Amino acid sequence: MPRFSVIVPVYKVQGFLHECLDSVLGQSYADFELIAVDDRSPDGCGAILDRYAERDERVRVLHLPENVGLGRARNAGLEHARGDYVLFLDSDDYYTPGLLAAVAARLATAADPDILVFDHVRTHWWGRGGRSTSADLLAAAGTDTFSIRESPQYLHLFLVAWNKAYRRSFFVGHDLQYAPGLYEDAPVTYRSMVLADRIACLDRIGVEYRQRRQGAITRTPGRRHFDIFQQYEGLFTFLEGRPDLAWARPLLFERALDHMLFVLAREDRVTAADRPDFYREIRSFHHRHLPDGFTLPEGERGTEMRLLATAPYASYAALRGLRVLREYAAGGSRRAARVVSNRAQQAWYAAQLRRPLDRGLAVYSAAHHQGVSGDPAAIHAAARELAPHIRGVWVVHEDAVDSLPPGIDHVTPGSPRYYEVMARATYWVNNVNWPGALVKRPGSVHIHTHQGTPLKYMAADLLGKPGARHGFDVPQMLRRADRWDHSLVANRHSELVWDRAYPCRFTSARTGSPRNDVLVNAKPDDGARFRLRHGIPEDHTVVLYAPTRRDYVRGGHVDRFDPARFAEDLGKGHTLVVRLHPSLAEGPARAMGLAELHRRGLVVDATDEPQVEEAMLASDVLVTDYSALMFDYANLDRPIVVHADDWGAFTASRGAYFDITASAPGHVSRSYRELAWLFASGCWRDQESARLRAGFRARFCEFDDGRAAERVVRTLMLGEPDLPASIPAPAAGDRDLLTWTG
């Protein structure tokens, strides 16, 4: 008996079916059966299913004699299911990697609940969207189990069949069946949720919910949307026969009306001509099933439900029209308030610009005001020691203030003190550009630190890469860079790149990268705090995996391999630490599996670590693709593996200044199989790896000598004589540090 039965009803999806089936059959957890139900599909779906069944014994195909619709096709598959748990998957959607393993693990920790609910992400034809509206509820559930009577808020979870794993004995024992017609999910979902004694949640994106551009029934206007009434009629007929569920009637009544009013408001579902009839059906349902003592919800939805008792459609439509007008007017008021506020800010800033510069004031920012980090943080720390008369103030967004280290003076963008500081500070230190409205005053010193050694195209070089520069105003970027006085570089490659990418008036400062001082001066136990914080045994080999974002996919996130599989293949005595690119920290990338693997203790998610240097110091080897982190990590003289399985796509979309696969800091893998072999064989740290790393360090770490922050403070802020860097003789082939291509 398999652990899972995955039931996939299939109808007119031949263009999407391969991706759906492959997402199931490619799961790392293999104890399942896939029951594909051919709902008399008129295209090539039936033949596709038969070919899959011939190749994989886990696939069973049911060819129905006639088309019965989505709900009854699921029922047909259920009759043949043998698994402990049943999952339904629509054939134009697909599973995320590692989902079934995560579901199996969560079911085990929850002692086999009746229902397990997981998350999804909407995937449009133009790219993936953000987290679902269920994300906060799923996260709040934690590792507990609950019933709806205890936690009624969980009736607000997304109302579909495919975001749940049902214990088959529970599902069959309660005779749960999908009815024909649209909105067939509603009665089954709500019946199962109120009947379940134990429900568990998995805060992980498990399904890519495809938003089809054309052909989606739920987005095709017509009378079929009136099916919603017969679906809820069936649900309340069931409730009338179950006095023990009387507590659930008010809850389900409110959810039913909310669902109906939602459908009524959608122009892609109910036509304007059908709306009066649809509204009358809602009123009829309201009169028949209004529970005694029903309490209306708060807000606009409660107002709409109150109208159902007395108001005809014309009154309801008028109310909705007024609501739209009020929302528009409120938006206009907010816009007007912003205009007034902006004018007041400009006037205040202009007044501050008339005051003299403060020679004892420096302003710092990093990563678009996200906190104290990177080169600016290292320079600030050095200035506090070497130039205590220079006060440092950080610009930090409001949502990042709570994470600031103790003793950090800060301002938030747009505040009066922000404009005062920006107008009067003599020293500006940043690793990205300051906003364009800020004025560079004569006598001020703007130090631009960048965010590492560049591999991929930057600034003006993006003009030949329209996909990568989407959202970037390159001319504006260069106008802002015209304010730079000094551009810090760690090597001559960077110096050439910045001269090319930013054709501006700055002077290159061969200081080294201040944030790398801690790496150059590293002591054997410098990573101990990170290991202790994350419970990593002292004798473990720590593998740091730091992938970068991709410009050829919307959102920037691509899973190049399954981190759970990599962690398992590394074997005992190893810990896998994953740090995503900072731009992916707030999107759905971590919810695709990383956060859940971290909670289970299979990997360590270090994406939120404020100081990436701590993760580097705690690790024994770096695995990356094209992240600039490799240039910093090389200062540690520890092994680096470059996983370059999509190098061609990466360079085609973004561009690169040199071929990292030909000038790598260590071994290069071009498939997951090669990556796993490098670690299984021990080659990741062999003599060839050391030879490649030595050449890479000589080329890209040439100005990093552990005194970069001191050098910046003494020479660029205090005006002391130059503090020469320990610069080696030019390496062989130095002429080719930069590939000058368009």
Side-chain angles (χ1 to χ4, degrees):
M1 178 185 296
R3 183 61 166 160
F4 300 129
S5 293
V6 181
I7 299 173
V8 182
V10 177
Y11 183 74
K12 292 183 68 173
V13 289
Q14 62 180 10
F16 309 119
L17 186 55
H18 287 282
E19 188 171 20
C20 173
L21 299 177
D22 290 344
S23 76
V24 180
L25 298 174
Q27 292 286 309
S28 57
Y29 186 91
D31 187 15
F32 65 85
E33 61 178 357
L34 194 162
I35 303 173
V37 184
D38 173 17
D39 191 17
R40 200 66 174 175
S41 185
D43 55 7
C45 287
I48 293 172
L49 295 176
D50 288 338
R51 287 196 295 272
Y52 271 86
E54 291 173 1
R55 295 198 304 264
D56 196 317
E57 62 182 9
R58 294 173 298 177
V59 179
R60 288 193 289 156
V61 181
L62 304 180
H63 294 285
L64 301 184
E66 60 180 352
N67 176 250
V68 297
L70 179 60
R72 288 194 287 183
R74 287 182 185 143
N75 297 339
L78 183 63
E79 292 178 6
H80 295 265
R82 301 171 298 175
D84 297 329
Y85 278 82
V86 175
L87 296 90
F88 299 100
L89 177 64
D90 288 356
S91 50
D92 53 352
D93 301 334
Y94 51 98
Y95 281 161
T96 59
L99 169 67
L100 293 185
V103 169
R106 182 69 185 97
L107 291 174
T109 59
D112 284 5
D114 298 320
I115 304 173
L116 174 66
V117 188
F118 45 86
D119 205 359
H120 70 281
V121 64
R122 293 176 185 267
T123 303
H124 304 265
W125 61 269
W126 41 258
R128 183 184 292 150
R131 290 298 303 268
S132 76
T133 55
S134 299
D136 291 341
L137 275 174
L138 294 171
T143 58
D144 295 334
T145 60
F146 56 87
S147 70
I148 292 299
R149 192 165 190 172
E150 300 165 343
S151 305
Q153 67 272 25
Y154 284 91
L155 283 178
H156 290 262
L157 290 170
F158 197 42
L159 188 65
V160 288
W162 40 256
N163 65 349
K164 302 173 183 70
Y166 292 102
R167 186 161 52 83
R168 185 167 63 91
S169 59
F170 163 80
F171 200 86
V172 174
H174 285 286
D175 194 28
L176 294 168
Q177 294 277 307
Y178 291 94
L182 294 187
Y183 305 104
E184 78 293 335
D185 297 42
V188 173
T189 297
Y190 285 142
R191 277 182 64 180
S192 65
M193 294 289 275
V194 299
L195 286 168
D197 293 322
R198 297 175 60 249
I199 301 171
C201 291
L202 173 63
D203 182 19
R204 185 194 196 280
I205 292 174
V207 174
E208 300 260 9
Y209 177 30
R210 191 187 302 276
Q211 306 296 285
R212 292 166 66 176
R213 188 167 179 267
Q214 293 181 353
I217 297 175
T218 54
R219 287 183 173 82
T220 303
R223 299 287 295 190
R224 291 195 62 185
H225 291 281
F226 283 71
D227 289 354
I228 193 171
F229 301 110
Q230 69 185 40
Q231 300 289 6
Y232 278 107
E233 229 17 85
L235 174 62
F236 276 78
T237 298
F238 161 75
L239 290 174
E240 288 170 5
R242 292 292 300 264
D244 58 314
L245 296 177
W247 60 268
R249 284 178 59 86
L251 298 173
L252 296 181
F253 181 76
E254 186 270 327
R255 299 310 304 145
L257 292 183
D258 182 78
H259 194 185
M260 293 170 187
L261 291 169
F262 168 80
V263 173
L264 173 64
R266 296 288 296 267
E267 295 180 357
D268 58 354
R269 302 196 186 193
V270 182
T271 66
D274 285 335
R275 283 204 190 110
D277 288 347
F278 199 93
Y279 180 76
R280 281 192 289 271
E281 290 289 347
I282 301 177
R283 290 191 67 194
S284 176
F285 180 89
H286 177 276
H287 293 321
R288 288 195 307 277
H289 298 294
L290 177 66
D292 293 336
F294 175 68
T295 302
L296 290 166
E298 297 180 356
E300 295 286 353
R301 187 63 94 202
T303 302
E304 292 180 57
M305 291 181 184
R306 184 178 293 108
L307 285 178
L308 291 170
T310 57
Y313 176 71
S315 301
Y316 172 80
L319 171 73
R320 282 195 57 81
L322 286 172
R323 189 174 79 177
V324 172
L325 287 174
R326 283 198 301 270
E327 290 173 352
Y328 180 79
S333 299
R334 287 192 292 270
R335 286 190 295 272
R338 283 197 297 270
V339 170
V340 173
S341 175
N342 289 339
R343 288 176 179 171
Q345 290 172 348
Q346 291 168 7
W348 171 252
Y349 184 45
Q352 300 307 307
L353 287 171
R354 291 191 287 271
R355 300 175 65 188
L357 286 173
D358 185 339
R359 298 294 173 183
L361 179 60
V363 61
Y364 298 87
S365 180
H368 303 285
H369 311 326
Q370 290 304 310
V372 178
S373 64
D375 292 308
I379 295 169
H380 178 228
R384 294 173 92 172
E385 179 181 347
L386 301 172
H389 63 284
I390 299 179
R391 306 184 318 280
V393 179
W394 280 81
V395 180
V396 182
H397 277 304
E398 189 69 42
D399 57 3
V401 168
D402 291 342
S403 62
L404 290 178
I408 295 295
D409 189 7
H410 69 277
V411 295
T412 56
S415 65
R417 188 171 178 236
Y418 164 78
Y419 285 108
E420 179 183 1
V421 166
M422 297 310 303
R424 302 203 60 208
T426 295
Y427 307 99
W428 292 12
V429 184
N430 202 344
N431 61 7
V432 295
N433 264 321
W434 295 99
L438 297 177
V439 177
K440 171 70 164 65
R441 298 180 65 179
S444 65
V445 179
H446 188 149
I447 300 170
H448 192 79
T449 72
H450 303 282
Q451 296 189 69
T453 294
L455 170 62
K456 59 190 178 184
Y457 277 7
M458 306 292 287
D461 288 325
L462 291 176
L463 290 172
K465 298 291 182 182
R469 77 165 189 270
H470 179 71
F472 289 99
D473 185 336
V474 174
Q476 183 186 64
M477 192 182 301
L478 298 184
R479 286 193 295 272
R480 293 177 177 180
D482 282 333
R483 298 175 301 192
W484 302 354
D485 291 304
H486 304 287
S487 166
L488 307 190
V489 297
N491 47 65
R492 277 166 281 192
H493 162 80
S494 296
E495 188 172 318
L496 290 172
V497 167
W498 301 135
D499 281 348
R500 165 191 167 119
Y502 291 97
C504 302
R505 293 185 290 268
F506 59 83
T507 299
S508 287
R510 295 182 172 184
T511 57
S513 294
R515 69 181 182 280
N516 288 342
D517 290 347
V518 66
L519 304 179
V520 176
N521 300 319
K523 300 179 181 61
D525 61 346
D526 278 354
R529 285 185 304 174
F530 180 94
R531 289 186 175 227
L532 180 64
R533 189 160 62 248
H534 292 285
I536 302 173
E538 293 183 6
D539 60 343
H540 269 214
T541 298
V542 176
V543 180
L544 174 61
Y545 174 47
T548 193
R549 64 176 291 119
R550 301 306 199 266
D551 292 291
Y552 60 75
V553 61
R554 187 181 179 91
H557 176 66
V558 179
D559 282 316
R560 302 312 310 169
F561 56 80
D562 182 358
R565 180 182 178 187
F566 188 36
E568 182 179 0
D569 288 343
L570 287 172
K572 293 181 178 180
H574 294 76
T575 295
L576 178 62
V577 176
V578 181
R579 183 180 176 90
L580 298 182
H581 190 277
S583 66
L584 303 175
E586 299 302 322
R590 295 161 77 186
M592 301 296 284
L594 178 58
E596 182 263 336
L597 294 174
H598 176 81
R599 286 192 295 270
R600 288 165 55 195
L602 298 182
V603 304
V604 172
D605 178 8
T607 305
D608 284 337
E609 285 286 337
Q611 307 298 331
V612 66
E613 292 81 12
E614 287 198 15
M616 290 193 279
L617 288 166
S619 66
D620 299 291
V621 53
L622 171 68
V623 176
T624 187
D625 34 39
Y626 324 115
S627 170
L629 204 68
M630 73 177 89
F631 299 98
D632 301 341
Y633 195 85
N635 283 287
L636 290 171
D637 197 19
R638 298 175 189 175
I640 301 172
V641 174
V642 175
H643 185 58
D645 67 333
D646 65 340
W647 175 243
F650 183 86
T651 54
S653 61
R654 179 63 189 237
Y657 291 110
F658 67 94
D659 186 350
I660 191 63
T661 66
S663 302
H667 289 295
V668 177
S669 59
R670 297 185 180 273
S671 67
Y672 176 75
R673 183 177 181 181
E674 290 182 7
L675 176 63
W677 178 84
L678 284 172
F679 281 88
S681 65
C683 290
W684 60 276
R685 55 182 173 186
D686 61 10
Q687 291 184 349
E688 177 64 8
S689 169
R691 184 189 71 79
L692 293 169
R693 186 167 68 254
F696 191 85
R697 291 182 69 222
R699 179 175 176 181
F700 295 111
C701 303
E702 56 180 335
F703 304 154
D704 281 334
D705 62 356
R707 303 182 67 186
E710 177 188 357
R711 188 173 293 112
V712 170
V713 173
R714 290 190 183 281
T715 62
L716 304 185
M717 299 176 76
L718 298 179
E720 295 180 1
D722 287 349
L723 181 66
S726 302
I727 303 175
D734 204 34
R735 295 190 306 272
D736 301 323
L737 280 173
L738 182 63
T739 304
W740 292 83
T741 58

